[in-house]
Amino acid sequence: MKFDIIGRRTWWFIISALLLAPGLVSMVVQGFNLGIDFTGGTLLDLNFSQPVSVAQVRDVLEQFDLDKSMIQLASESKATEAATNVIIRTRVLTETERQEVLAGLNQLGSFDILRIEKVGATIGSELTRQAILALAVAALMMIVYITFRFEFKFAVSAILALLHDVFIVLGVFSIWQLEVDSSFVAALLTIVGYSINDTIVIFDRIRENEPRMKRGDSYEDMVDKSIWQLMGRSIKTTVTVVIALLAILILGGESTKGFAIAMLVGVIAGAYSSIFNASQILVEIKKRMKPKRGGKPAKAKA
């Protein structure tokens, strides 16, 4: 039995507010756990005498609480997933810590040090600016496109629902202090595209159904009907993507964990906002913008 989704929109707004509130508080109180892409760090470029794998290098780094470091293999062999040239990017290390890490890596065999560099946070600041600019430009272009294809109120509804998804992801990463790096930014931009696509599909069905409304039909009932017509599609698409992301999260390496978590949270939040927020915001805007009847009474005919 189908229940009235639009009629219960106040409840969906309350649920969204309850989900957003802890994240917003956390962002203000404890902020984010920024990775070396934003804060800078130490880069070690080593050439081993024999091929080593990412797992082997990470096992050594775990001994120094550096398991979240970025490890890249150069000239990687697909058959063995190992290489002699290894690039490690980690937090800023003191001279003593750096010597201890290098001594620990000797467990994997002898190596030559190709370079040791300290990466400043300048690149991180530039990355932050570019990420914010990318989100702003994407939002602006979406408003233009949706306004052109539909109406301005559709664009406002879609962007508000999109902000809901973005802040849900930001809140989760802030609360659990998950590392925010360049892969997180990539995930956030991907979520924006995924979420808006699902919302546009529902909006398109609303646009198709609106001219078919009969006398006495309410706009709310028509929107509710449109949502239910696409409910199966939304659920199937979301479940399919979630399964793929769970596989990446469980079977993938440490370097893809943050990306998978961000995408997983964003996809679920995007599915929720597309069904329970975007159209409800549209109905509220339509309701408040509805012109009131009245005016000057017509003059009586002589």
Side-chain angles (χ1 to χ4, degrees):
M1 182 178 178
K2 298 178 181 179
F3 62 90
D4 187 2
I5 296 177
I6 295 298
R8 292 177 171 85
R9 58 185 177 274
T10 301
W11 286 105
W12 313 135
F13 294 153
I14 291 174
I15 291 173
S16 292
L18 292 175
L19 291 173
L20 286 167
L24 293 174
V25 172
S26 178
M27 282 186 271
V28 173
V29 175
Q30 62 180 1
F32 296 97
N33 175 23
L34 299 178
I36 60 174
D37 288 327
F38 294 93
T39 61
T42 299
L43 184 146
L44 304 175
D45 190 354
L46 311 175
N47 188 40
F48 285 82
S49 58
Q50 60 185 20
V52 296
S53 67
V54 171
Q56 289 176 309
V57 176
R58 197 173 299 282
D59 287 341
V60 174
L61 295 178
E62 282 182 357
Q63 302 172 20
F64 306 96
D65 294 326
L66 301 174
D67 51 298
K68 293 184 178 180
S69 303
M70 295 178 62
I71 304 170
Q72 179 183 351
L73 301 183
S75 304
E76 184 174 344
S77 170
K78 294 182 179 179
T80 61
E81 294 185 350
T84 55
N85 188 200
V86 180
I87 298 175
I88 302 170
R89 294 185 63 188
T90 185
R91 62 173 173 79
V92 177
L93 301 176
T94 63
E95 181 62 30
T96 301
E97 289 175 326
R98 189 163 62 241
Q99 293 302 325
E100 290 176 350
V101 170
L102 292 174
L105 290 170
N106 265 320
Q107 302 171 23
L108 305 179
S110 61
F111 57 82
D112 295 324
I113 300 175
L114 301 183
R115 57 176 171 147
I116 296 179
E117 296 179 359
K118 183 178 179 181
V119 181
T122 304
I123 297 176
S125 300
E126 182 65 22
L127 178 61
T128 302
R129 286 194 295 270
Q130 292 297 329
I132 295 174
L133 179 62
L135 287 170
V137 171
L140 179 61
M141 295 306 295
M142 286 176 189
I143 290 175
V144 173
Y145 169 73
I146 298 172
T147 301
F148 175 77
R149 183 174 176 181
F150 300 94
E151 298 176 47
F152 181 67
K153 53 179 170 282
F154 281 83
V156 173
S157 304
I159 294 302
L160 289 177
L162 195 60
L163 288 174
H164 164 275
D165 305 337
V166 170
F167 278 103
I168 286 289
V169 177
L170 291 172
V172 168
F173 270 67
S174 176
I175 291 172
W176 297 103
Q177 286 296 286
L178 300 173
E179 187 175 20
V180 174
D181 53 16
S182 57
S183 64
F184 172 80
V185 176
L188 208 59
L189 293 172
T190 305
I191 290 165
V192 168
Y194 175 88
S195 180
I196 201 68
N197 177 71
D198 204 25
T199 301
I200 289 297
V201 170
I202 295 177
F203 281 177
D204 201 43
R205 182 56 59 92
I206 293 174
R207 185 181 61 173
E208 290 176 359
N209 288 337
E210 188 169 5
R212 301 172 186 170
M213 292 175 60
K214 299 178 182 178
R215 184 181 297 274
D217 291 346
S218 70
Y219 189 79
E220 293 185 15
D221 289 341
M222 182 274 296
V223 173
D224 193 71
K225 178 182 177 181
S226 301
I227 294 174
W228 277 109
Q229 287 175 346
L230 293 170
M231 183 68 74
R233 176 223 176 253
S234 297
I235 293 175
K236 291 174 184 176
T237 302
T238 302
V239 171
T240 302
V241 176
V242 166
I243 291 174
L245 291 172
L246 283 174
I248 296 174
L249 179 61
I250 297 171
L251 303 176
E254 187 70 25
S255 59
T256 61
K257 186 176 180 180
F259 177 84
I261 293 175
M263 283 295 300
L264 195 59
V265 174
V267 165
I268 294 174
Y272 176 86
S273 67
S274 296
I275 296 173
F276 298 104
N277 278 347
S279 300
Q280 285 76 355
I281 296 173
L282 174 64
V283 169
E284 281 294 323
I285 294 176
K286 186 104 173 176
K287 183 178 177 181
R288 297 175 188 279
M289 292 180 63
K290 187 176 181 181
K292 296 181 180 180
R293 295 182 179 180
K296 296 182 180 179
K299 293 182 179 181
K301 294 183 180 180

